[in-house]
């Protein structure tokens, strides 16, 4: 089980903008490998894993079942 929180700091301006961006909340996803992730910044989480935030949001809002093997818990 991993926590993916906004506590991670970076000097990269793009990352700072992502940290301030949309997608703040509390989300739980399971990876294609079965690993559970607690996410509080979906924008950064998706950016770091080459996932589409819109697809992950659709999963969270029960509009989609999975995206690249990721699923809602």
């Amino acid at each position: 089980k991993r926590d993916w929180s906004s506590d991670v700091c970076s000097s990269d301006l793009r990352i700072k903008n992502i940290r301030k961006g949309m997608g703040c909340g509390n989300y739980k996803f399971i990876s294609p490998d079965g690993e559970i992730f607690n996410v509080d910044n979906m924008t950064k989480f998706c950016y770091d894993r080459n996932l589409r935030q819109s697809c992950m949001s659709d999963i969270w809002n029960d509009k989609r079942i999975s995206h690249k093997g990721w699923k809602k818990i």
Side-chain angles (χ1 to χ4, degrees), residues 6-39:
S6 60
D7 295 339
V8 177
C9 295
S10 173
S11 61
D12 183 351
L13 181 58
R14 182 177 174 121
I15 298 301
K16 285 182 182 179
N17 288 338
I18 287 172
R19 286 183 65 214
K20 293 179 187 175
M22 300 168 23
C24 294
N26 190 8
Y27 312 95
K28 273 188 156 181
F29 293 102
I30 188 163
S31 74
D33 298 329
E35 193 171 355
I36 295 172
F37 287 80
N38 293 315
V39 179

Side-chain angles (χ1 to χ4, degrees), residues 4 22-23 26-32 35-39 41-73:
W4 186 254
M22 300 168 23
N26 190 8
Y27 312 95
K28 273 188 156 181
F29 293 102
I30 188 163
S31 74
E35 193 171 355
I36 295 172
F37 287 80
N38 293 315
V39 179
N41 186 326
M42 193 180 309
T43 303
K44 182 165 178 11
F45 179 80
C46 292
Y47 175 79
D48 290 346
R49 288 162 183 77
N50 195 30
L51 300 169
R52 292 189 61 184
Q53 182 181 349
S54 61
C55 293
M56 296 301 283
S57 293
D58 284 349
I59 292 169
W60 190 254
N61 293 313
D62 298 322
K63 296 179 182 176
R64 182 181 185 120
I65 295 172
S66 67
H67 172 58
K68 295 184 179 182
W70 288 83
K71 296 180 181 179
K72 174 182 173 179
I73 295 179

